[in-house]
Amino acid sequence: MAGDEPAPDVGTARTAGTGFERIDWTAVDDADSTVPPAAVAAEALVFFSLVAAFVYDYVILANEAPTVGVVGWDVTGVEWLLVVVLAIGVFHAALPLARNRRLTAYYWRQFQKNRAAVVSLGFLGFVFLVGLVGPLIWTAPNEAIDYAAAYQPPVFAGGSWAYALGTDAQGRPLWHLIVYGMRVSLEVGLISMVFAISIGTVVGTAAAYFGGYVDEVLMRYVDLQQTFPVFILLLLLIYLYGASLLLIIALYGLFSWEGTARLVRSEALQRGEEAYVRAAEAAGAGRWWTIRRHLIPNVSSTVITAATLSIPVFILGEASLSFLGFGDPDVFSWGRTISAGRSDLPNAPWISTIPGLFLFLTVLAFNFVGDALRDAIDPR
Amino acid sequence: MGMEWYVVRRVAWAVVATYLAVSLTFGLLMVTPNAGADVAAAQAAASGQDYDAVRERYLERRGLDRPVEEQYIDYITNILTFDWGYSFSQGEPVLAAIGDAWVYSAQYFVPAIIISALLGYGIGLYSALNRYTPTDYLGSFVAYFGISIPNFWFAIVLILLFGVVLRLLPTFYDSSVALLSVQNVKQLLMPVVVLSTASVAGQMRYSRAQAIEYARSAFVKTARAKGASEWRVLTRHILRVALVPLSTILIADVLAVLFAGSFIIETIFQIPGLGRLALEAIQQKDTPLVLATTLIPVFIAIIGNLLQDLAYVALDPRIDYGDR
Amino acid sequence: MQSTHGDSMSRRHTTTDQAEPLLRITDLRTQFDTDDGVVRAVDGVSFEVNAGETVCLVGESGSGKTVTAESITRLVECPPGEITGRIEFRGENLTTASAARLREIRGAEIAHVFQNPQDALNPVISVGKQVAETVRIHEDVSERAARKRAIDLLDRAEVPDPATTADAYPHELSGGMKQRVLVAAALAGDPDLLVADEPTTALDVTIQAQILDLLADLQREMGMAVLFITHDLGVVARVADRVVVLYAGKVMESAPVDSLFADPGHPYTRALLACLPGRGRESGSIPGDLPSPTDPPTGCRFAPRCPFAVEACTTDSHPSLYPVAQEPDTDRDGAGTTAGDSPDVSTPLSAAPLDGAASRDLETTGDGVNTAHVAACIFHGPDRDAAHLDREVSWTVAEPDGGGR
């Protein structure tokens, strides 16, 4: 499940001299899914190099100089976070799935029962790839301003193939705006999700496991956070500190984990009563061991579903803020493009409608996939 | 623990939550540079006055140079006594500005809530009792559509279709139209539809899931075995039990989806309601009004949650009064 | 428990065979469409219930008892369920009756008591209202009158202080008390048939006896028939007039309670009886598992677990049971062929030289197993004559334990 754990070794769990072989059952149970030491080393290496590269970018390189000189790409703070999140995804989602072929195949068969979800997954894969590498291929919208080419209709409305989806009031190709919008949505959705889900899982498990005052205090705070409408809080903070994509992502991550925490807590409370956790405790397993090896793996299906379904909420939230004019003025969020096209609605309706369609389809696809995942891995 | 003790504790919690929320806003104001002072100073500097001197005078006049604890007590007192200050952007006291604006918000907000609850529960329960039928599939499809469509984009598409192409409905809100007139209903139609779509879809999904859970339960079977009609089973048994979780979700939904929605709706349709008021306040750095428009939704949220907790007493006899 | 039955509702043998039975189920099939295929939960079940008598439907969990019971008034969810066959209640076929007609029958003529009283009452409605609901559904009475009736019914169900209890909510009552409330609600419509689906399984042993006594008393007072579903043979011995043994959606055997206990016909029945404590060996379980509900074995469903199975058992022309008791009309094989076309069954098996538990130990030699089986079952179709011959062999009842396989 987690790549940063030392690989349990059956050999070390045996103690000589007692006459009995003490067998670490979790190690035995997980024998086919244990993380090979190579993966742990690789992950440590990747994260170390990321930190080093980040320090290099911010301390040694001048602020203006592009990080990757060849393509002229200056990595921003949000992009650094995205890279970290992607690395986490590789080590904690992709690799475990690839290692555990049989389980993956089983989940895939369950998932495949939902056709709409399979199509949605394909669409999300497309958005992911284009959002990731698209900005390296197509020029930034602001470098493509061409007033001579303003208000070109898309190709299906009589436009030319040069601007397949048309252009906006400043002659920027809509496709470029959409590609850069995909990047923004990717960043908001994935980074906020990792933030929110991590905090929610930790808080929920801790509340369930420690109980008593810890539970009381944590859950009271969750109550309070739930009472405070996130959107209003965001507006207030943006008012006070000014808008930036990093702030929006951080705020969504920090202030919308209460649902996950509640879910995980109730799930963990239920699981905590089950025999295997009690058995682990009776066998003398430590608290953190029990939490990490028993509780967290067993609430993971709940967490994965909650994670998938939280992504569209964040994407929609950021788009709404940008639409209202509270987004980061330096990035081309879909919400911003839609808002900009509003005044041209009668004469150039494609400027607002086409990015909106992408936003709609992305959110729809996440909802389909999330529900299908719930049916596949969380059958209750 | 008795019911009275439970009620007292819930009310006490609401008071604590209010206090914490007010304190939080104060804390945020303290740690950030005063936007209003900057605006005033910048204006003064533009007209040839000394920037820092004007800024200091601005702070002094508002008592912002005093010790923090003094300011804090003042702040809390003012909030609690409804002395919420003067809005320079509206040119009237904050509460007066809010008093003018809320009517416009309520006009579309209240119908949207009623439609969400009635239509959402109605379709959801119907789908639950007619699973695997075409109506159920259509309902599920509509629900996915509703929760996924960005409301601002939906509004734009509707304006394009009904306002620009078909010319059936006005594209923006005209506040000079009489409250009780066909014209007013027509111009409120799109805002209400846009605002309630996401909420209706949410209620539909939850109520369908809840009803399916209860439709399989033993007590529903008992009711059927007594000869109860489907309608009776639905209204007297399923709905009665499902109302407890559903009302929680409705309140959470009203607070989250509709608040955020009202900003967007009022911007797009140019309705001079609370959302627009808040946005103008932010744009013009009108701190007292920003605070008021932040605190009002928070207070509404706290009261909503309190009402929800109290509704449990009436809805669910199983409630464990000692638990919370 | 068996020794205390005294005057309970058992042992009232009905002799009104000529009259139309209250309920006649013929070739009932209930299947469910699931993702894993079609589950035939009930697959050709036939039996009858006469007015005033108690019929026990016995079987392991998963044998289709509950689905059979809930198919009667179509309480199973359709779709995904699908019910075919004939369910005649006073001559009226309920499988084709309209939903409105079924609602008239439910509660007023056929009432149900379910297994788990914990979940069977609506948690947010007072129990008095839930009892009164039956009255208000079927009669046009005021709320006040319905409440009075409910209190009266609670009193008859021996609920202490019924006027106060009527205002209580389910979570304030004990399990046994909830079951009394449910019995009161079931009887509120004065039904002619009470379908009691494991009404005591979820209760403490002492409470079980009380509920059984209550049901027996009320049955006598009200003269209704009871279809009692249970897996507990102790309960069967206590309450039943006749017994229908169900296995994997099929009737294995049906017989009056006395002859069933004395001379179980089908090897499955014997296996069930062998599981009872105090039957010569410690109580145990039947080796093997229930067959797959989506893909049941051909032939006799019990054959894969049956120590007496012969090859013919696994084919469609498997040995069919013939009636063991003196009541040819009521004891039929549910699997297809009825007693009517087996003229050679006049010699009841109860004439076989076996009577008590003492003689149940037997010597099972290599082919002794087969002999015992053939004695219990009779071939029909082409092999009938051969079977007839084999039946001459004297036989004893085998304890089908694991070693016999």
Side-chain angles (χ1 to χ4, degrees):
Chain A
M1 142 97 208
D4 55 346
E5 284 161 13
D9 182 358
V10 181
T12 57
R14 292 178 184 154
T15 28
T18 56
F20 289 101
E21 269 190 349
R22 281 234 321 257
I23 296 173
D24 180 352
W25 287 108
T26 43
V28 176
D29 288 345
D30 293 353
D32 57 344
S33 63
T34 38
V35 183
V40 181
E43 185 174 1
L45 191 70
V46 166
F47 278 101
F48 179 76
S49 3
L50 276 176
V51 170
F54 178 78
V55 170
Y56 170 76
D57 186 26
Y58 271 74
V59 179
I60 298 170
L61 274 189
N63 252 349
E64 277 75 40
T67 316
V68 187
V70 190
V71 284
W73 179 29
D74 188 16
V75 186
T76 63
V78 173
E79 284 166 345
W80 278 112
L81 276 175
L82 182 64
V83 174
V84 171
V85 164
L86 290 179
I88 292 176
V90 167
F91 284 103
H92 295 267
L95 280 184
L97 281 178
R99 262 200 302 274
N100 216 331
R101 292 259 170 71
R102 214 157 37 93
L103 203 63
T104 309
Y106 170 76
Y107 286 148
W108 177 242
R109 270 198 309 279
Q110 295 293 314
F111 184 82
Q112 260 184 324
K113 286 181 183 168
N114 191 333
R115 290 277 179 77
V118 175
V119 174
S120 299
L121 196 64
F123 179 74
L124 290 181
F126 167 76
V127 170
F128 179 79
L129 282 180
V130 172
L132 209 57
V133 302
L136 303 178
I137 300 172
W138 290 284
T139 50
N142 273 350
E143 290 159 28
I145 291 178
D146 175 9
Y147 285 99
Y151 297 123
Q152 291 289 321
V155 74
F156 52 81
S160 71
W161 275 105
Y163 306 103
L165 294 181
T167 60
D168 73 351
Q170 290 158 287
R172 296 178 291 200
L174 221 49
W175 172 247
H176 290 217
L177 287 163
I178 285 166
V179 167
Y180 278 74
M182 280 182 191
R183 166 63 74 77
V184 175
S185 293
L186 206 64
E187 287 165 346
V188 172
L190 294 182
I191 301 172
S192 300
M193 180 271 283
V194 168
F195 263 107
I197 295 298
S198 314
I199 302 175
T201 309
V202 169
V203 171
T205 332
Y209 195 80
F210 293 110
Y213 279 109
V214 177
D215 186 23
E216 186 71 15
V217 169
L218 288 177
M219 285 302 117
R220 270 306 90 88
Y221 176 73
V222 164
D223 271 359
L224 197 65
Q225 187 169 307
Q226 196 158 47
T227 309
F228 220 105
V230 188
F231 195 80
I232 305 289
L233 185 65
L234 275 172
L235 282 183
L236 182 65
L237 288 168
I238 287 170
Y239 167 67
L240 294 172
Y241 292 100
S244 84
L245 190 58
L246 191 62
L247 179 73
I248 293 172
I249 290 174
L251 291 179
Y252 268 120
L254 289 176
F255 293 108
S256 42
W257 48 265
E258 69 276 352
T260 314
R262 281 227 169 113
L263 257 170
V264 168
R265 175 178 173 271
S266 73
E267 188 85 345
L269 276 179
Q270 243 169 22
R271 304 287 175 168
E273 290 304 306
E274 279 170 22
Y276 53 84
V277 175
R278 295 233 169 144
E281 281 174 352
R287 282 193 152 186
W288 283 112
W289 176 263
T290 318
I291 290 180
R292 234 169 50 171
R293 301 298 300 184
H294 292 284
L295 284 184
I296 291 187
N298 280 296
V299 298
S300 58
S301 56
T302 311
V303 170
I304 290 170
T305 310
T308 315
L309 290 173
S310 73
I311 293 174
V313 176
F314 298 138
I315 292 180
L316 263 185
E318 189 276 333
S320 304
L321 280 175
S322 297
F323 179 83
L324 289 174
F326 297 110
D328 190 330
D330 298 329
V331 300
F332 291 92
S333 161
W334 283 336
R336 180 179 162 191
T337 312
I338 296 168
S339 176
R342 260 195 325 137
S343 49
D344 296 318
L345 215 48
N347 58 316
W350 58 87
I351 302 173
S352 274
T353 47
I354 293 179
L357 193 64
F358 272 92
L359 177 60
F360 174 41
L361 290 179
T362 306
V363 172
L364 186 67
F366 269 113
N367 282 322
F368 272 133
V369 169
D371 278 6
L373 266 182
R374 170 161 42 210
D375 292 343
I377 66 177
D378 198 14
R380 257 176 311 119
Chain B
M1 295 292 157
M3 191 182 88
E4 296 79 7
W5 181 230
Y6 168 83
V7 171
V8 167
R9 278 170 41 142
R10 295 320 299 163
V11 172
W13 171 243
V15 171
V16 171
T18 310
Y19 169 74
L20 288 176
V22 173
S23 300
L24 176 72
T25 52
F26 177 80
L28 286 172
L29 284 179
M30 277 295 113
V31 298
T32 40
N34 191 302
D38 292 346
V39 173
Q43 280 168 355
S47 58
Q49 287 168 283
D50 180 47
Y51 183 92
D52 287 327
V54 172
R55 194 167 186 284
E56 231 154 80
R57 238 184 304 129
Y58 179 94
L59 294 176
E60 206 176 61
R61 204 157 9 128
R62 285 169 178 72
L64 296 174
D65 55 343
R66 294 173 301 153
V68 175
E69 54 285 2
E70 216 173 290
Q71 286 191 49
Y72 178 62
I73 292 168
D74 245 33
Y75 180 84
I76 302 276
T77 320
N78 286 344
I79 297 279
L80 293 184
T81 54
F82 289 99
D83 179 6
W84 286 13
Y86 187 83
S87 159
F88 69 78
S89 71
Q90 303 295 319
E92 57 182 336
V94 165
L95 285 178
I98 288 170
D100 293 341
W102 76 270
V103 187
Y104 296 105
S105 294
Q107 276 185 57
Y108 68 90
F109 206 86
V110 172
I113 293 174
I114 295 173
I115 287 174
S116 309
L118 290 185
L119 218 59
Y121 289 172
I123 303 176
L125 296 176
Y126 181 85
S127 295
L129 288 190
N130 297 278
R131 284 168 81 192
Y132 315 117
T133 59
T135 326
D136 181 27
Y137 288 122
L138 183 70
S140 293
F141 177 79
V142 171
Y144 273 113
F145 174 86
I147 56 164
S148 302
I149 195 161
N151 50 11
F152 52 91
W153 183 66
F154 189 38
I156 287 172
V157 172
L158 286 186
I159 289 176
L160 190 61
L161 192 65
F162 293 101
V164 178
V165 178
L166 298 176
R167 295 182 183 282
L168 287 176
L169 297 171
T171 57
F172 62 89
Y173 185 85
D174 178 0
S175 55
S176 64
V177 169
L179 193 64
L180 296 173
S181 63
V182 180
Q183 188 58 29
N184 198 28
V185 172
K186 270 175 84 176
Q187 67 181 0
L188 285 172
L189 211 54
M190 282 199 285
V192 169
V193 167
V194 171
L195 190 61
S196 53
T197 299
S199 184
V200 166
Q203 305 308 315
M204 246 170 93
R205 275 160 63 96
Y206 286 120
S207 58
R208 179 177 180 273
Q210 286 289 336
I212 284 174
E213 198 180 319
Y214 290 119
R216 289 201 211 112
S217 68
F219 67 81
V220 164
K221 196 180 274 175
T222 305
R224 289 215 174 93
K226 287 175 187 170
S229 62
E230 286 303 296
W231 177 249
R232 191 185 179 95
V233 166
L234 186 67
T235 53
R236 302 282 173 93
H237 290 277
I238 295 178
L239 192 60
R240 183 73 180 70
V241 179
L243 219 50
V244 177
L246 286 184
S247 62
T248 313
I249 291 158
L250 180 70
I251 291 204
D253 229 45
V254 165
L255 299 178
V257 178
L258 302 190
F259 274 152
S262 72
F263 285 85
I264 284 163
I265 302 275
E266 294 185 8
T267 303
I268 295 179
F269 293 101
Q270 298 166 34
I271 302 173
L274 288 175
R276 264 271 291 274
L277 195 65
L279 292 181
E280 278 169 21
I282 291 174
Q283 278 153 4
Q284 307 191 17
K285 307 259 177 225
D286 185 353
T287 303
L289 193 55
V290 171
L291 269 182
T293 47
T294 306
L295 284 174
I296 284 177
V298 173
F299 290 157
I300 293 178
I302 290 171
I303 292 169
N305 280 309
L306 178 64
L307 289 179
Q308 163 61 30
D309 285 336
L310 298 184
Y312 269 163
V313 176
L315 287 176
D316 193 350
R318 293 165 298 178
I319 186 167
D320 178 3
Y321 294 120
D323 188 35
R324 290 171 62 123
Chain C
M1 210 161 54
Q2 274 162 268
S3 57
T4 61
H5 58 68
D7 64 343
S8 73
M9 51 182 149
S10 64
R11 308 289 179 270
R12 269 185 302 109
H13 288 266
T14 16
T15 46
T16 54
D17 296 329
Q18 280 70 31
E20 182 74 8
L22 182 67
L23 177 74
R24 171 183 282 156
I25 293 178
T26 320
D27 198 26
L28 173 69
R29 288 167 200 275
T30 306
Q31 58 186 41
F32 297 93
D33 248 331
T34 69
D35 286 345
D36 303 317
V38 176
V39 172
R40 296 176 207 283
V42 177
D43 200 10
V45 162
S46 307
F47 64 90
E48 290 166 4
V49 179
N50 293 308
E53 75 170 341
T54 302
V55 173
C56 271
L57 211 52
V58 187
E60 295 168 73
S61 16
S63 59
K65 307 175 298 243
T66 297
V67 178
T68 304
E70 291 179 0
S71 294
I72 296 172
T73 54
R74 229 189 283 157
L75 285 175
V76 293
E77 210 183 328
C78 301
E82 194 192 331
I83 302 172
T84 53
R86 287 183 72 79
I87 298 168
E88 284 161 287
F89 182 73
R90 291 217 192 88
E92 181 180 1
N93 188 0
L94 299 187
T95 38
T96 54
S98 70
R101 175 67 190 135
L102 275 175
R103 282 201 294 276
E104 283 172 25
I105 291 173
R106 290 178 193 157
E109 292 175 63
I110 302 177
H112 281 80
V113 175
F114 296 104
Q115 178 167 4
N116 193 349
Q118 230 61 40
D119 305 328
L121 285 167
N122 190 318
V124 299
I125 301 177
S126 72
V127 297
K129 278 197 177 140
Q130 297 194 56
V131 174
E133 187 179 23
T134 316
V135 180
R136 298 204 69 191
I137 287 169
H138 296 287
E139 292 168 50
D140 188 19
V141 292
S142 70
E143 198 169 332
R144 183 184 293 249
R147 184 186 152 85
K148 257 191 83 181
R149 284 268 292 282
I151 293 173
D152 185 47
L153 282 156
L154 287 170
D155 193 30
R156 282 177 75 184
E158 292 164 24
V159 172
D161 196 4
T164 317
T165 312
D167 293 323
Y169 287 95
H171 70 281
E172 297 166 330
L173 303 180
S174 69
M177 213 48 75
K178 277 185 227 174
Q179 196 60 294
R180 286 177 192 274
V181 170
L182 284 161
V183 168
L187 300 183
D190 196 10
D192 298 314
L193 173 65
L194 178 69
V195 181
D197 187 355
E198 307 229 19
T200 59
T201 309
L203 303 174
D204 287 346
V205 180
T206 47
I207 312 289
Q208 283 186 8
Q210 290 174 14
I211 297 288
L212 289 180
D213 286 343
L214 174 70
L215 281 173
D217 290 346
L218 290 170
Q219 183 183 20
R220 206 175 27 244
E221 275 174 42
M222 304 178 67
M224 62 190 173
V226 175
L227 178 61
F228 201 104
I229 289 116
T230 183
H231 64 269
D232 184 343
L233 289 169
V235 172
V236 173
R238 190 183 162 120
V239 303
D241 292 321
R242 286 187 306 108
V243 184
V244 177
V245 180
L246 223 55
Y247 179 79
K250 286 206 180 277
V251 173
M252 293 288 116
E253 178 168 10
S254 90
V257 65
D258 293 331
S259 47
L260 185 101
F261 275 88
D263 309 309
H266 196 280
Y268 175 67
T269 315
R270 281 185 248 159
L272 268 186
L273 287 173
C275 294
L276 271 180
R279 279 269 176 172
R281 62 163 187 171
E282 285 311 297
S283 70
S285 55
I286 305 170
D289 294 311
L290 276 170
S292 152
T294 48
D295 182 25
T298 46
C300 174
R301 299 243 160 123
F302 188 59
R305 293 168 82 184
C306 180
F308 309 110
V310 293
E311 204 172 317
C313 290
T314 59
T315 65
D316 276 335
S317 60
H318 64 89
S320 169
L321 279 178
Y322 71 93
V324 280
Q326 293 84 342
E327 294 161 77
D329 194 26
T330 51
D331 307 311
R332 278 185 192 161
D333 160 36
T337 330
T338 59
D341 38 57
S342 304
D344 51 326
V345 295
S346 47
T347 318
L349 257 185
S350 46
L354 274 191
D355 216 57
S359 61
R360 275 164 202 278
D361 299 318
L362 82 158
E363 57 309 12
T364 2
T365 54
D367 45 359
V369 170
N370 282 351
T371 315
H373 173 77
V374 178
C377 307
I378 188 165
F379 288 104
H380 58 84
D383 291 333
R384 183 182 286 167
D385 288 342
H388 194 65
L389 281 177
D390 280 345
R391 206 158 56 76
E392 302 301 316
V393 182
S394 77
W395 63 285
T396 43
V397 178
E399 294 258 347
D401 57 33
R405 303 190 75 186

